[in-house]
């Protein structure tokens, strides 16, 4: 995660400029743009085109089929030229749809901005009003409004606009609430900006993409719905006509002259479809998550594409032996290496600490061992991970899954996001047992209670039915550990297991891990950024920087007398209790040259 | 010379309002009657774990939250009166540095834009003077001058925190509330920012209220240390005394829990 | 859980109250003289006076509302002047026909929408995903009234395998199979758009959930991919889709207006369109109130279902 974040600044500025080219790269969106462009151009140029008068009736020529002479698309029941009416009608439909969108976007966004930013009573009143509008089934409210105002194109426009206000208000409010609690809003306030200035100069620019996305996804709808009202005879009134009223008028002739109603319907469909295609393209470009490819489905096992095939078994006394591991992230056609030729080994009962700063590749290394790096974008490009001498990465998907949670178990960083929010904690532990052992559900649940007791949860028999959100951070991490112990693993890989916790809780969790390790003879691979944690728990340590291990050895020796310059600097930068103000004087020379 | 900040019996309770049906919402006592003072040119640290109320105190001191009761005197002026005169007056007296530097900079504004606001609204400088001040500020936090045209996402966490510090300095307030200013940063960057804060304090004659959960960081920067536990200040003493001979049980537990490098060497 | 349901029911009361005010406003806001609007331009003065008295139009608005709402609560929605029968009888009869149509459509769009969404997410970028995404796009761009006409042309005119209109055959119909034959085309027409919306949202929600940390935890436990996707990811995604199904109920009820008009289904939507054209205000009022109130209740059921699945919402 942090690796992607770290590499994005370089690509971002150019991406901003190339939004257009991104949109045009999307073939469907380009198609939509072209169709929409042609229709819009025809509609705008309608007065200049050599078309018949759309309202000139010619009873003698009525109901001519398409491709008849002088009438490319035939004529309707009054002998009017359908092609001409189609183009003029499109003009009306597009204009009405766009106006309705503009009105709904303006009113809805304003309501959403104010409600989301003011919160409290204003928010309550505004959103109750919006709820009231939402309490009507969509078209029903439009019908009710038309009932009040009377049938007519302009009234239909108002009705559709009002009905769509809630979509904008809700979307914009949601985003605004998120933004209003962000630090930069507080910072602007402390810089002396007024309430109104913050809303319109700090918050609004960040909300604009959401408004544009909502507009592009609703404009098609609004064209569709105004056409619908006209179809029902409640929108455009003769002699005025839009696509919907053409369709409505032609409906009675469905059996003997279907083209009169089918052609305008096809036009509405083409118009709305092209707008939706374009709208999807716009959304893909503006939504940062879609752009970064964060919404692609990760595979069950990380993609493994090794250039050289390592031996699938080796002779080693270590329980875990990693050789020349390389993992990279693919973005488009280029690949960014996150882990470069990493090798280390862990013996039974031993604890190895993998330490590094953010972006050093330590977590990716840990996740690569059992193919848990999200893929795409992750790819394992080289190396092997031997567990008891057998290469994990050479195994099939089923083979790797048999190891996961059984011989090798993971403990992750933030137990609030890593536990499933909708399952009871006991069931989540039991599920891990059931995945690997042929026991009954009751038996598994009983063992879950045992495990919870072993990791120090009081009243385990009751807490087994608790949901993760009902527990404290420390307790949740104990559940995470209990889950890891479910199948009596030989290796535990703990990825920053205490980073999200307070120091006093951290101390207890580290004690627990240490205790379990000595009792069960577990091999522990501990990923952390904290030298103190390494010093307290690990026998050996490996220091990572930019995807490589720069120094490794016995913890005591590395910490007392670091060899590599990076380790030395890193160690010097960690303040120690008891050092006091001497710490700052000690690090000052380290950065003296850098500041010049 | 008077103290930079004096706080007496400060209380903050969240919730407790009436719901639609007349019931009371859940009350949370975030700060329960805290008193302390920050002396001129001093660094006073407040340490505590999550939920101890330390950040709530910080936010009250800069006017982002309103105290439920109690008294705050900032730079000799009553906070209530400051607040009544508007956020601009408050901002000129005390400034704030946030924990997450990237989140504290608006992603859609250039650094030039961001630094311009306090200079214009708080100091009231004309365009020429503002341009000169921006250059000085970037120099003070050791950032290159081409920083101005760029957007926040183009900077690393450490650089962003320097920019955020420059914005706080722009207001020319003499009191700074630093809310976990280095805890989102990697250790090597953390040390650099601590050094920078130390230099700035001397150069501009500042007083710091330093909020943190990291005991070792606190010890390295502060003159006096206060320990918060569940909304109460359980201990307040000079850094030396507090770390050498802690008097409260919770302080002792906190110190004992902190992981250290020596433990490996000692075993 | 019971406390939660009670709380939601209580919260629905102000919404229903607000609804009744808006619906009442329809009558109050109608420009011109309501009695004339009801009776037509050629009404005798005595009749106008009688209608005004009957409707309480000689009193203040709040008083009028009070009279109206107490009557409504006792089941008295007034009489339809065009049909010359009590509004309540007419709307209940029409509403049951709409419920059959809308209910079947909602079931259809939920099942197919969820299935299509899941398949599309699981096979992201595969051929199944491409085909589904394409059809979903067609579905949400399709004017329901036009689709209905196309289906009639194909199935009723061209191939003559399904009836073009009505709920039952005029001669010899009336049994369940007859209803089913008449139901297929309108129900499918009505379900198409909603299916697209639900499929889209399910796909997006699944893809988002599949990226989350707890899915990685499920994989790290060694669960089979089927369990990871259906027990872990889908459960979390489904919780997000439920409220959208609730909203789709509104689209289906509203879309019934078009479909009932096209297929001459004797439902409340077609009735409303006629009533608006003929300015039968009391009928419009009663119909809108009934449909909106039932929609509020349906959304309440959706909320309760969501809370049953997600313990975090139950407070």
């Amino acid at each position: 995660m942090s690796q992607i974040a770290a590499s994005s600044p370089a690509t971002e500025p150019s991406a901003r400029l190339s939004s257009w080219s991104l949109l045009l790269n999307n073939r469907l969106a380009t198609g939509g743009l072209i169709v929409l462009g042609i229709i819009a151009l025809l509609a705008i140029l309608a007065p200049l085109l050599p078309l018949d008068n759309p309202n000139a009736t010619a009873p003698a020529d009525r109901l001519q089929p398409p491709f008849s002479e002088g009438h490319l698309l035939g004529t309707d029941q009054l002998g009017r030229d359908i092609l001409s009416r189609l183009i003029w009608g499109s003009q009306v439909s597009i204009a009405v749809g766009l106006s309705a969108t503009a009105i709904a976007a303006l009113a809805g966004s304003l309501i959403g901005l104010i409600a989301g930013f003011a919160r409290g009573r204003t928010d309550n009143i505004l959103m109750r009003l919006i709820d009231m509008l939402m309490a009507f089934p969509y078209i029903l409210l439009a019908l009710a409004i038309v009932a009040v105002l009377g049938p007519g194109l302009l009234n239909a426009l108002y009705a559709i606009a009002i009905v769509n206000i809630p979509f904008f208000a809700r979307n914009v409010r949601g985003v605004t609430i998120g933004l209003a609690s962000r630090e930069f809003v507080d910072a602007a306030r402390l810089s002396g900006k007024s309430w109104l200035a913050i809303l319109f100069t700090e918050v609004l620019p960040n909300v604009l993409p959401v408004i544009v996305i909502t507009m592009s996804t609703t404009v098609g709808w609004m064209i569709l719905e105004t056409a619908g009202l006209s179809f029902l005879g409640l929108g455009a009134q003769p002699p005025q006509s839009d696509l919907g009223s053409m369709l409505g008028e032609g409906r009675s002739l469905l059996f003997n002259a279907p083209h009169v109603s089918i052609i305008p319907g096809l036009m509405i469909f083409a118009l709305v479809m092209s707008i939706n295609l374009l709208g999807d393209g716009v959304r893909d470009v503006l939504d940062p998550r879609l752009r970064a490819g964060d919404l692609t489905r990760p595979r069950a096992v990380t993609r493994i594409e090794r250039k050289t095939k390592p031996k699938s078994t080796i002779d080693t006394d270590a329980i875990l032996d990693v050789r020349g591991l390389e993992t990279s992230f693919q973005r488009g056609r280029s690949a960014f290496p996150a882990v470069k030729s990493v090798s280390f080994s862990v013996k039974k009962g031993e604890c190895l600490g993998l330490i590094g700063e953010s972006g050093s590749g330590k977590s990716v290394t840990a996740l690569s061992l059992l193919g848990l790096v999200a893929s795409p974008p992750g790819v394992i490009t080289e190396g092997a991970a031997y567990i008891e001498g057998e290469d994990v990465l050479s195994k099939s998907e089923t083979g790797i899954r048999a190891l996961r949670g059984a011989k090798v178990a993971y403990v992750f960083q933030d137990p609030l996001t890593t536990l499933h929010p909708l399952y009871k904690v006991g069931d989540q532990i039991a599920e891990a047992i059931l995945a690997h052992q042929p026991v009954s559900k009751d038996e598994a649940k009983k063992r879950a209670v045992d495990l919870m007791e072993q990791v120090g949860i009081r009243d385990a028999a009751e807490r087994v039915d608790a949901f993760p959100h009902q527990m404290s951070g420390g307790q949740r991490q104990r559940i995470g550990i209990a889950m890891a112990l479910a199948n009596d693993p030989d290796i535990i890989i703990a990825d920053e297991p205490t980073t999200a916790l307070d120091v006093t809780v951290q101390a207890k969790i580290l004690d627990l891990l240490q205790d379990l390790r000595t009792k069960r003879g577990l091999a522990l691979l501990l990923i952390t950024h904290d030298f103190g944690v390494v010093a307290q728990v690990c026998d050996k340590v490996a220091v990572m920087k930019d995807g490589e291990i720069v120094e490794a050895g016995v913890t005591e020796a590395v910490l007392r007398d670091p060899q590599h310059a990076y380790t030395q600097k890193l160690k010097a930068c960690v303040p120690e209790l008891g050092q006091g103000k001497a710490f700052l004087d000690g690090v000052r020379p380290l950065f003296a040259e850098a500041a010049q | 010379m008077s103290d930079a900040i004096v706080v007496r019996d400060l209380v903050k309770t969240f919730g407790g309002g009436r719901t639609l049906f007349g019931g009371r919402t859940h009350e949370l006592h975030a700060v329960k009657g805290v008193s302390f003072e920050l002396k001129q040119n001093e660094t006073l640290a407040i340490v505590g774990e999550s939920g101890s109320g330390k950040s709530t105190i910080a936010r009250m001191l800069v006017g982002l939250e309103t105290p439920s009761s109690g008294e705050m005197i900032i730079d000799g002026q009553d906070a209530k009166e400051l607040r009544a005169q508007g956020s601009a007056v408050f901002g000129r007296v005390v400034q704030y540095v946030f924990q997450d530097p990237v989140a504290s900079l608006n992603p859609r504004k250039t650094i030039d834009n961001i630094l311009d606001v306090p200079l214009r609204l708080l100091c009231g400088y004309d365009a020429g003077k503002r341009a000169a001040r921006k250059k000085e500020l970037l120099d003070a936090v050791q950032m290159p001058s081409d920083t101005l045209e760029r957007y926040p996402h183009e900077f690393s966490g450490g650089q962003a925190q320097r920019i955020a510090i420059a914005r706080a300095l722009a207001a020319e307030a003499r009191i700074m509330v630093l809310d976990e200013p280095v805890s989102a940063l990697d250790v090597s960057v953390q040390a650099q920012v601590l050094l920078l804060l130390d230099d700035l304090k001397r150069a501009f004659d500042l007083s710091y209220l330093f909020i943190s959960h990291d005991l070792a960081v606190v010890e390295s920067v502060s003159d006096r240390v206060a320990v918060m536990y569940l909304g109460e200040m359980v201990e307040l003493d000079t850094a030396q005394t507090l770390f050498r001979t802690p008097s409260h049980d919770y302080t002792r537990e906190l110190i004992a829990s902190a992981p250290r490098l020596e433990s490996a060497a000692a075993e | 859980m019971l406390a939660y349901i009670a709380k939601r029911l209580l919260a629905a009361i102000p919404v229903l109250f607000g609804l009744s005010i808006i619906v009442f406003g329809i009558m109050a806001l109608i420009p011109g003289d309501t009695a004339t609007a009801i009776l037509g331009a050629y009404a005798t003065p005595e009749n106008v006076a009688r209608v005004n008295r009957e409707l309480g139009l000689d009193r203040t608005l709040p008083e009028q509302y009070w009279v109206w709402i107490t009557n409504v609560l006792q089941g008295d929605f007034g009489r339809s002047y065009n049909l010359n029968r009590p509004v309540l009888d007419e709307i209940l009869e029409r509403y049951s026909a709409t419920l059959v149509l809308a209910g079947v459509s909602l079931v259809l769009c939920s099942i197919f929408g969820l299935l299509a969404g899941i398949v599309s997410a699981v096979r992201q970028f595969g051929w199944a995903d491409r085909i589904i995404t394409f059809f979903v796009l067609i579905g949400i761009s399709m004017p329901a009234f036009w689709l209905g006409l196309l289906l009639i042309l194909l199935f009723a005119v061209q191939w003559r395998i399904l009836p073009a209109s009505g709920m039952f055959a005029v001669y010899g119909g009336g049994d369940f199979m007859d209803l089913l034959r008449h139901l297929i085309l309108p129900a499918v027409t009505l379900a198409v758009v909603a299916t697209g919306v639900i499929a889209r949202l399910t796909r997006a929600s699944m893809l988002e959930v599949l990226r989350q940390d707890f899915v990685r935890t499920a994989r790290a436990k060694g669960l089979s991919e089927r369990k990871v996707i259906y027990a872990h990811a889908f459960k979390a995604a489904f919780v997000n889709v439920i409220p959208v199904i609730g909203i789709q109920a509104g689209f289906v009820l509203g879309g019934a207006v078009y479909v009932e008009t096209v297929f001459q289904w004797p439902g409340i939507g077609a009735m409303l369109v006629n009533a608006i054209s003929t300015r039968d205000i009391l009928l419009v009022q009663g119909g809108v109130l009934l449909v909106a109130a039932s929609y509020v209740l349906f959304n309440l059921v959706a909320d309760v279902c969501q809370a049953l699945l997600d313990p975090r919402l139950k407070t």
Side-chain angles (χ1 to χ4, degrees):
Chain A
M1 335 142 280
S2 43
Q3 286 76 10
I4 294 170
S7 60
S8 62
T11 58
E12 200 75 357
S14 55
R16 191 178 282 253
L17 293 171
S18 64
S19 284
W20 264 107
S21 59
L22 261 175
L23 188 64
L24 294 177
N25 271 342
N26 183 336
R27 244 177 297 155
L28 287 175
T30 314
L33 187 65
I34 291 170
V35 173
L36 182 63
I38 292 172
I39 298 176
L41 200 68
L42 285 176
I44 292 168
L45 296 179
L48 304 177
L49 295 175
L51 291 171
D52 294 353
N53 180 347
N55 295 321
T57 56
D61 276 349
R62 57 194 292 273
L63 297 181
Q64 295 280 320
F67 307 114
S68 47
E69 220 197 306
H71 302 290
L72 189 59
L73 295 178
T75 56
D76 68 1
Q77 66 280 11
L78 297 176
R80 297 174 291 194
D81 182 54
I82 291 184
L83 177 66
S84 166
R85 287 176 66 70
L86 194 69
I87 290 174
W88 284 98
S90 302
Q91 192 185 41
V92 175
S93 282
I94 293 174
V96 169
L98 288 182
S99 318
T101 311
I103 294 173
L106 197 69
S109 305
L110 205 62
I111 292 175
L113 270 174
I114 291 173
F117 197 62
R119 303 307 306 272
R121 188 159 301 167
T122 319
D123 183 24
N124 242 318
I125 293 172
L126 285 175
M127 289 328 282
R128 286 300 83 78
L129 285 176
I130 293 294
D131 282 352
M132 223 58 94
L133 289 184
M134 297 276 283
F136 284 94
Y138 190 62
I139 283 306
L140 197 67
L141 183 58
L143 282 184
I145 294 168
V146 172
V148 173
L149 301 176
L153 191 58
L154 207 58
N155 293 343
L157 188 161
Y158 293 142
I160 294 299
I162 292 174
V163 169
N164 277 286
I165 286 176
F167 291 99
F168 286 91
R170 288 199 147 191
N171 280 353
V172 169
R173 174 178 174 268
V175 183
T176 308
I177 287 178
L179 288 168
S181 60
R182 288 272 294 275
E183 279 97 333
F184 71 79
V185 169
D186 283 341
R189 196 168 299 159
L190 295 174
S191 298
K193 274 202 180 181
S194 68
W195 194 90
L196 222 58
I198 291 176
L199 183 57
F200 286 105
T201 63
E202 301 277 338
V203 176
L204 183 61
N206 287 288
V207 176
L208 269 180
V210 177
I211 298 178
V212 173
I213 289 174
T214 315
M215 278 175 84
S216 67
T217 47
T218 49
V219 63
W221 249 354
M222 291 198 221
I223 289 178
L224 207 58
E225 300 305 351
T226 30
L229 287 181
S230 290
F231 167 79
L232 295 173
L234 303 175
Q237 302 294 315
Q240 191 184 35
S241 74
D242 68 351
L243 294 173
S245 65
M246 286 174 70
L247 181 50
E249 286 166 22
R251 183 163 67 91
S252 50
L253 303 159
L254 183 64
F255 299 109
N256 30 21
H259 70 277
V260 181
S261 50
I262 295 306
I263 290 172
L266 193 63
M267 189 63 170
I268 299 176
F269 175 63
L271 187 60
V272 175
M273 180 95 174
S274 65
I275 288 175
N276 283 342
L277 282 171
L278 184 63
D280 281 3
V282 169
R283 191 197 54 197
D284 288 0
V285 169
L286 289 182
D287 191 329
R289 288 181 311 170
L290 290 167
R291 202 168 175 167
D294 287 354
L295 287 182
T296 46
R297 161 175 140 68
R299 300 146 51 117
V301 175
T302 312
R303 203 144 62 89
I304 301 170
E305 273 179 11
R306 292 178 291 188
K307 283 163 236 130
T308 50
K309 266 252 154 29
K311 269 184 274 176
S312 60
T313 51
I314 55 161
D315 191 24
T316 171
D317 58 341
I319 189 160
L320 172 65
D321 202 334
V322 176
R323 302 264 174 105
L325 183 71
E326 295 195 12
T327 305
S328 52
F329 290 113
Q330 280 196 318
R331 290 168 68 85
R333 286 204 188 85
S334 44
F336 299 86
V339 176
K340 302 172 201 158
S341 190
V342 160
S343 304
F344 60 86
S345 67
V346 189
K347 291 197 187 71
K348 209 168 173 343
E350 193 177 54
C351 173
L352 171 69
L354 208 51
I355 190 167
E357 298 189 286
S358 51
S360 62
K362 55 189 192 302
S363 286
V364 181
T365 305
L367 292 173
S368 297
L369 301 183
L370 286 190
L372 284 171
V373 180
S375 172
V379 191
I380 295 171
T381 50
E382 206 67 73
Y386 297 98
I387 287 173
E388 288 182 330
E390 268 186 77
D391 179 29
V392 180
L393 302 176
S394 302
K395 286 178 186 283
S396 66
E397 197 180 305
T398 334
I400 294 179
R401 199 186 304 134
L403 284 172
R404 287 176 177 177
K407 196 176 271 296
V408 187
Y410 278 88
V411 177
F412 295 107
Q413 177 173 352
D414 181 358
L416 186 59
T417 60
T418 53
L419 292 177
H420 198 295
L422 309 180
Y423 284 106
K424 294 169 181 169
V425 293
D427 291 343
Q428 299 196 42
I429 301 173
E431 195 181 35
I433 300 171
L434 290 168
H436 297 284
Q437 297 177 45
V439 295
S440 71
K441 276 195 174 165
D442 288 341
E443 174 63 21
K445 190 108 185 214
K446 220 176 284 164
R447 285 201 210 169
V449 178
D450 281 351
L451 284 164
M452 284 170 67
E453 270 164 7
Q454 285 172 41
V455 296
I457 290 179
R458 268 166 279 163
D459 308 322
E462 278 171 42
R463 301 299 279 163
V464 75
D465 286 328
F467 288 96
H469 72 277
Q470 294 165 329
M471 303 185 123
S472 70
Q475 277 180 316
R476 277 196 290 264
Q477 195 55 293
R478 283 174 199 269
I479 296 292
I481 294 171
M483 208 152 74
L485 295 174
N487 296 300
D488 220 355
D490 295 330
I491 305 169
I492 285 191
I493 300 173
D495 188 358
E496 303 260 14
T498 57
T499 306
L501 306 174
D502 278 328
V503 262
T504 50
V505 183
Q506 161 170 301
K508 287 175 192 141
I509 296 287
L510 289 179
D511 281 349
L512 172 68
L513 279 175
Q514 198 68 317
D515 193 39
L516 291 168
R517 178 164 75 95
T518 43
K519 263 196 214 143
R520 300 181 174 228
L522 284 168
L524 181 61
L525 177 63
L526 186 76
I527 318 297
T528 181
H529 68 281
D530 191 334
F531 265 110
V533 170
V534 168
Q536 207 169 327
V537 186
C538 302
D539 308 313
K540 293 195 301 183
V541 63
V543 183
M544 283 193 78
K545 178 183 192 270
D546 298 333
E548 285 170 293
I549 292 183
V550 295
E551 182 167 5
V554 177
T555 307
E556 216 177 303
V558 171
L559 289 186
R560 189 178 300 151
D561 186 21
Q563 297 300 308
H564 194 276
Y566 178 71
T567 321
Q568 287 165 359
K569 181 176 155 194
L570 215 52
K571 191 201 158 199
C573 285
V574 182
E576 269 286 277
L577 268 184
Q579 255 182 317
K581 292 200 168 174
F583 166 72
L584 283 186
D585 299 330
V587 285
R588 199 176 292 275
L590 279 180
F591 300 106
E593 307 99 60
Q596 298 310 308
Chain B
M1 210 174 183
S2 65
D3 288 330
I5 293 177
V6 179
V7 169
R8 291 278 164 260
D9 303 319
L10 194 63
V11 173
K12 178 70 189 180
T13 309
F14 290 105
R18 295 207 173 271
T19 64
L20 194 61
F21 299 110
R24 283 194 154 262
T25 54
H26 181 69
E27 265 187 35
L28 181 79
H29 300 275
V31 178
K32 311 172 188 167
V34 166
S35 304
F36 63 89
E37 62 279 326
L38 170 68
K39 296 184 186 128
Q40 292 289 352
N41 301 330
E42 177 191 44
T43 300
L44 171 68
I46 300 184
V47 288
E49 299 189 307
S50 51
S52 64
K54 56 187 194 306
S55 280
T56 310
I57 293 182
R59 291 175 62 84
M60 284 192 282
L61 282 171
V62 293
L64 288 174
E65 299 277 359
T66 316
S68 303
S69 72
E71 197 182 13
M72 300 189 300
I73 294 168
I74 300 164
D75 205 18
Q77 303 169 67
D78 190 74
K80 272 187 215 113
E81 282 166 31
L82 282 177
R83 211 177 7 256
Q85 293 170 57
S87 60
V89 181
F90 221 111
R92 244 172 279 162
V93 179
V94 57
Q95 273 295 329
Y96 189 74
V97 174
F98 294 83
Q99 169 170 4
D100 184 347
V102 179
S104 79
L105 304 173
N106 191 337
R108 291 186 177 266
K109 303 256 170 200
T110 60
I111 306 305
D112 189 39
N113 245 314
I114 290 172
L115 288 181
D116 201 58
V117 179
L119 292 171
R120 186 160 38 95
L121 297 176
L122 296 179
C123 305
Y125 292 146
D126 59 49
K129 172 99 197 217
R130 291 206 294 272
R133 276 294 286 154
K134 278 179 240 173
K135 224 172 217 141
E136 284 170 31
L137 288 168
L138 287 182
D139 279 348
V141 296
Q142 297 153 16
M143 289 292 288
S145 52
D146 69 341
T147 304
L148 286 179
E149 305 104 63
R150 298 164 73 180
Y151 284 89
H153 64 251
E154 298 175 50
F155 297 98
S156 69
Q159 292 171 320
Q161 193 61 298
R162 285 168 190 272
I163 293 165
I165 292 171
R167 171 177 55 193
L169 287 174
E172 294 172 16
R174 302 271 301 282
I175 307 169
M176 289 266 206
V177 175
L178 309 163
D179 190 359
E180 304 259 15
V182 295
S183 52
L185 308 175
D186 276 325
V187 277
S188 56
V189 183
Q190 166 179 316
Q192 290 179 60
V193 172
L194 289 176
L195 276 175
L196 173 69
L197 286 172
D198 192 54
D199 294 344
L200 293 175
K201 186 180 161 192
R202 262 175 260 174
F204 297 103
D205 214 11
L206 303 171
S207 314
Y208 283 161
L209 187 72
F210 192 100
I211 316 281
S212 179
H213 70 280
D214 188 326
L215 293 177
V217 165
V218 159
E219 198 198 9
S220 68
V221 298
S222 55
D223 304 307
R224 290 190 305 148
V225 179
V227 180
M228 292 282 297
Y229 180 61
L230 298 179
E232 281 172 83
M233 196 168 272
V234 296
E235 194 166 353
L236 170 63
D237 216 325
T238 61
Q240 264 188 336
T241 325
L242 188 124
F243 285 105
R244 233 167 258 164
T245 51
S247 62
H248 195 276
D249 283 346
Y250 178 70
T251 315
R252 271 186 224 120
E253 191 193 345
L254 214 53
I255 293 175
S257 303
R260 308 147 204 259
L261 296 185
E262 275 99 54
S263 56
E267 266 167 32
Chain C
M1 197 63 221
L2 278 176
Y4 177 79
I5 295 175
K7 217 169 106 181
R8 293 314 310 237
L9 274 173
L10 271 179
I13 290 173
V15 177
L16 289 172
F17 177 67
L19 278 187
S20 70
I21 289 183
I22 295 177
V23 173
F24 173 76
I26 291 175
M27 186 165 72
L29 282 175
I30 286 194
D33 185 28
T34 308
T36 320
I38 289 171
L39 297 175
Y42 305 109
T44 60
E46 299 88 73
N47 274 345
V48 169
R50 182 178 54 81
V51 168
N52 273 337
R53 209 170 39 252
E54 267 178 27
L55 297 175
L57 290 177
D58 40 356
R59 290 185 249 177
T60 63
L61 277 182
E63 276 177 343
Q64 287 179 37
Y65 173 75
W66 178 249
V67 171
W68 177 74
I69 193 74
T70 44
N71 283 338
V72 163
L73 288 176
Q74 288 162 17
D76 178 8
F77 285 74
R79 281 184 83 80
S80 158
Y81 283 82
N82 279 323
L83 304 170
N84 197 24
R85 69 183 294 205
V87 167
L88 187 67
D89 294 359
E90 175 74 9
I91 57 178
L92 283 183
E93 196 180 301
R94 294 293 201 128
Y95 188 55
S96 53
T98 297
L99 267 189
V100 171
L101 176 61
V104 169
S105 296
L106 193 63
V107 171
L108 283 180
C109 72
S110 304
I111 294 173
F112 287 107
L114 285 168
L115 277 178
I118 294 172
V119 170
S120 186
V122 171
R123 303 252 171 271
Q124 195 190 15
F125 304 135
W127 60 267
D129 182 31
R130 280 167 208 274
I131 291 175
I132 289 173
T133 307
F134 186 67
F135 275 99
V136 160
L137 209 66
I138 290 182
I140 60 173
S141 309
M142 183 70 80
F145 38 91
W146 184 60
L147 178 64
L149 294 181
L150 287 183
L151 291 182
I152 290 176
L153 269 183
L154 282 181
F155 289 88
V157 179
Q158 201 73 33
W159 298 327
R160 298 178 181 278
I161 45 177
L162 286 169
S165 65
M167 196 166 167
F168 293 103
V170 182
Y171 302 109
D175 58 354
F176 180 70
M177 284 313 291
D178 186 36
L179 174 63
L180 211 59
R181 274 166 44 81
H182 280 85
L183 194 55
I184 294 175
L185 291 185
V188 166
T189 308
L190 193 49
V192 162
V193 178
T195 306
V197 176
I198 293 176
R200 242 176 183 222
L201 193 98
T202 308
R203 177 179 188 270
S205 186
M206 279 294 280
L207 287 176
E208 189 163 340
V209 168
L210 278 167
R211 281 265 144 183
Q212 269 165 26
D213 287 352
F214 60 79
V215 169
R216 189 184 59 194
T217 310
R219 291 207 166 116
K221 280 198 268 192
L223 298 185
S224 67
E225 193 60 10
R226 246 185 51 188
K227 261 211 148 144
V228 169
I229 287 172
Y230 296 101
H232 283 246
F234 180 63
K235 185 166 182 176
F238 186 52
V239 168
N240 298 331
V241 177
I242 291 176
V244 174
I245 293 182
I247 292 172
Q248 289 314 304
F251 278 83
V252 168
L253 277 172
V257 173
Y258 303 130
V259 174
E260 287 174 5
T261 307
V262 171
F263 289 94
Q264 289 164 31
W265 188 267
I268 205 161
M271 180 205 83
L272 280 173
V273 175
N274 283 331
I276 290 171
S277 307
T278 57
R279 321 274 304 154
D280 194 341
I281 300 306
L282 288 178
L283 203 54
V284 175
Q285 221 176 24
V288 170
L289 188 66
L290 180 69
V291 177
S294 65
Y295 178 54
V296 169
L297 289 181
F298 184 84
N299 269 323
L300 199 138
V301 173
D303 278 359
V304 171
C305 288
Q306 197 186 12
L308 275 176
L309 280 174
D310 190 343
R312 289 170 299 179
L313 297 173
K314 230 177 280 173
T315 42

